[in-house]
Amino acid sequence: MPRLQVVRPDDEPENVVQARAEELRLLEAMLFASAEPLDEKSLAARLPQGIDVHEALVRLQEEYATRGVNLVRIGGKWTFRTANDLSWLLSKESIETRKLSRAAIETLAIIAYHQPVTRAEIEELRGVSTSKGSVDVLLETGWIRPRGRRKTPGRPLSYGTSEAFLSHFGLDAVGDLPGLEELKGAGLLDGRLPPEFSVPMPSDDPTLRDDEDPLEPGDLDLGLAPPPERTGEE
């Protein structure tokens, strides 16, 4: 697609200001027209050359900070969302809230903070056996995803969080999850924790680690599909 053109008369400061405002209008139009959040690279491809897209987005974000819709960054991409204090206006009485079990919540927290992690590692961290249903429910919600196979006997799947997880919880990155002091302040952790207790710094880097192999056919079918049958002799 051709780039959008903005005329910038250099001899009239007032026109320069208007040109800068036009950049915000172009960003505004593209973001409103898109059904999905857009990253800065995609936006820059449609703007005149020399535009500092990130700076323009921050300015646009400030303009919308007090409006009924806000410009937010989710998973490294930009989108307009209803202001948090007005979200109740768009809620529907017919929506049935589906609560996650405590086991599923604990499983989600472990995956978010310790990813990539296998089912066996989840069980070790929880200290109890993790039912297949807890992981299945999280896969069905789209909040977690299979990301690779661990290079250990049985080659178990490793799991990580998804963009849908970031979007649902309004996070720009998984590193924005609350740390130890924030969890204590929210009353989610006992104040009498052992001195060596710590909360890991989460990372959802999609690059496979040295102990992970790429997924196999069928692994992306919610991670539930059986491995493909082998034909012939080994």
Side-chain angles (χ1 to χ4, degrees):
M1 288 185 176
R3 287 178 176 270
L4 297 170
Q5 299 296 318
V6 175
V7 177
R8 292 172 172 268
D10 294 329
D11 55 340
E12 296 185 33
E14 183 178 350
N15 287 338
V16 173
V17 173
Q18 292 176 352
R20 286 175 180 167
E22 188 70 10
E23 296 164 12
L24 301 189
R25 293 181 67 237
L26 296 175
L27 285 171
E28 184 180 50
M30 286 187 284
L31 289 165
F32 266 117
S34 176
E36 301 292 336
L38 298 173
D39 57 35
E40 293 181 12
K41 183 178 180 181
S42 300
L43 292 166
R46 301 293 309 281
L47 291 175
Q49 292 183 354
I51 302 299
D52 187 332
V53 179
H54 181 77
E55 180 184 352
L57 285 165
V58 171
R59 289 167 56 199
L60 190 61
Q61 186 179 47
E62 292 172 353
E63 285 188 8
Y64 275 86
T66 58
R67 300 184 182 181
V69 292
N70 299 152
L71 179 60
V72 298
R73 201 166 108 162
I74 301 292
K77 299 179 181 180
W78 295 83
T79 187
F80 282 109
R81 289 282 178 90
T82 304
N84 287 335
D85 61 327
L86 299 178
S87 58
W88 61 273
L89 288 170
L90 303 181
S91 63
K92 294 183 179 180
E93 296 293 336
S94 60
I95 295 178
E96 180 181 354
T97 303
R98 181 181 180 184
K99 291 185 177 181
L100 293 177
S101 67
R102 178 172 179 173
I105 293 173
E106 291 176 355
T107 299
L108 178 60
I110 288 172
I111 292 173
Y113 280 95
H114 293 268
Q115 58 187 306
V117 62
T118 66
R119 190 188 299 270
E121 291 165 342
I122 294 170
E123 293 178 351
E124 182 179 355
L125 288 165
R126 287 191 66 219
V128 295
S129 177
T130 299
S131 69
K132 188 171 182 287
S134 296
V135 174
D136 290 353
V137 166
L138 296 174
L139 286 166
E140 289 169 3
T141 62
W143 290 353
I144 68 170
R145 61 182 179 85
R147 49 165 286 142
R149 282 192 173 273
R150 192 61 56 80
K151 296 177 181 178
T152 55
R155 304 187 66 245
L157 285 170
S158 60
Y159 297 97
T161 52
S162 65
E163 272 196 25
F165 170 81
L166 297 176
S167 178
H168 181 84
F169 291 98
L171 301 171
D172 178 29
V174 74
D176 294 332
L177 285 168
L180 179 60
E181 296 305 318
E182 293 171 291
L183 291 171
K184 283 182 179 179
L188 298 175
L189 290 177
D190 193 324
R192 297 168 294 178
L193 293 168
E196 68 278 6
F197 183 86
S198 64
V199 173
M201 177 60 69
S203 171
D204 57 356
D205 183 354
T207 306
L208 293 180
R209 301 190 180 182
D210 292 340
D211 62 351
E212 291 180 292
D213 282 327
L215 294 172
E216 299 176 345
D219 287 338
L220 290 178
D221 184 18
L222 291 182
L224 309 176
E229 295 184 3
R230 299 190 180 187
T231 58
E233 297 182 358
E234 294 282 326

